[in-house]
Each structure stands twice: as structure tokens, then as C-alpha cells.
Amino acid sequence: MKARWVAMAGLVCAAAALAADSVERSAARRWTRADLQALDAALISQMGQAQTAFAQVLSGDTHGMLLIHREVTADPELHEKLNDFFVVLEGEGAVKVGGTVSGARTVKPNEQLAQRLDGGTLYEVRQGDVLFVPANVWHQVMVGEGKKLSAILIKAE
């Protein structure tokens, strides 16, 4: 139990340290590999049965950045206005891009999730890879059984 509270405190501290909302618009911000590894470790400790976790590390009107850790395949998603740049830090997986969906539903303004994505192009990704997914295109992050994928997800108009 103590380890869980220490991990939770680490996640809060890492997120607070990485948060850029309070930084002046003209200020630059750097995240070291050690910063990202610490945040990823905290995410892993918080995953639970969902086998996925993320932390918002930068947020703005037209951009954002998340650190994601997945050990399962995600639901297909579409962002009407935001382009996605996946920067894979560790692990491996694939991102299916394009195709047609079934069971689409709006989950918040300009964002949809679906139950299934058929067709499209499958891009295998691993550590060091960068994948660009344009706005208004369905995509799905896929992680094989027993695998993991940690990535920075940069969102920009």
C-alpha cells in the first residue's frame, strides 16, 4: 500500500513539474528522458485492470501533449481539428489509420470514439519511430498481447 501512495505522489509531482499551463506563452519547455521515464513509471503503477494510462503534460487552445502507456489495444478515435504526432519512447505496437468505423459516438466536442475500425493502413511502430496522423482521420492504437507501448502524443491544429 505504501508503494502505491509513493507512486501516486510521484505521478502528481511529475505531472505538476511537467505541466506547462502556468508557463508564459513565450517560454520554452524541455522534458528530459529521465523526466519522461519517471512519468511513465508512475503511469504504469496506476494502470490497474484497464492496462492503459496517460498524463496530460501540455495543454493549450490549439495544441497539447500527453504521455501514454498502453498494454492493450485502444478504441478507434477521430479528432476533427487536431493532428496527432506519435513519438514512440519504448515498446512496440501498431497504429491503424483510415478505414471505416462502426459504433461511432461523440465523447467530447470534436472527438469521437468507435467500437470497430475496418480497413485502413497499418503502421508498425517501435522505439524511436514518429508517426503523423492528420486531423479528421480515424485511427486506432494497437498493442499485441504481452507487449507495451509508451509514447508521447503531440496534438496540434
Side-chain angles (χ1 to χ4, degrees), residues 126-142:
R126 59 187 38 86
Q127 184 176 358
D129 290 350
V130 177
L131 177 68
F132 168 72
V133 178
N136 213 29
V137 174
W138 283 100
H139 56 285
Q140 181 177 23
V141 178
M142 307 173 86

Side-chain angles (χ1 to χ4, degrees), residues 16-146:
L18 294 174
D21 286 332
S22 62
V23 175
E24 288 185 33
R25 190 149 191 87
S26 63
R29 182 70 177 115
R30 183 183 92 149
W31 291 269
T32 66
R33 180 159 178 79
D35 293 335
L36 297 172
Q37 287 174 329
L39 184 53
D40 188 53
L43 289 175
I44 291 168
S45 72
Q46 299 304 308
M47 282 192 320
Q49 293 180 348
Q51 294 184 295
T52 185
F54 70 92
Q56 183 92 33
V57 294
L58 181 67
S59 181
D61 294 337
T62 60
H63 62 278
M65 185 172 98
L66 299 107
L67 181 66
I68 62 170
H69 182 97
R70 300 196 67 82
E71 296 183 8
V72 295
T73 294
D75 288 336
E77 61 184 59
L78 178 136
H79 310 285
E80 294 175 11
K81 296 182 178 184
L82 297 175
N83 301 291
D84 282 344
F85 296 85
F86 291 87
V87 182
V88 181
L89 299 174
E90 292 186 35
E92 61 187 73
V95 181
K96 189 186 288 189
V97 179
T100 58
V101 297
S102 56
R105 64 198 183 282
T106 299
V107 292
K108 57 185 169 180
N110 302 311
E111 186 173 334
Q112 298 179 53
L113 293 178
Q115 293 176 344
R116 183 179 171 99
L117 176 59
D118 294 309
T121 303
L122 190 65
Y123 295 91
E124 293 186 15
V125 294
R126 59 187 38 86
Q127 184 176 358
D129 290 350
V130 177
L131 177 68
F132 168 72
V133 178
N136 213 29
V137 174
W138 283 100
H139 56 285
Q140 181 177 23
V141 178
M142 307 173 86
V143 180
E145 188 173 332

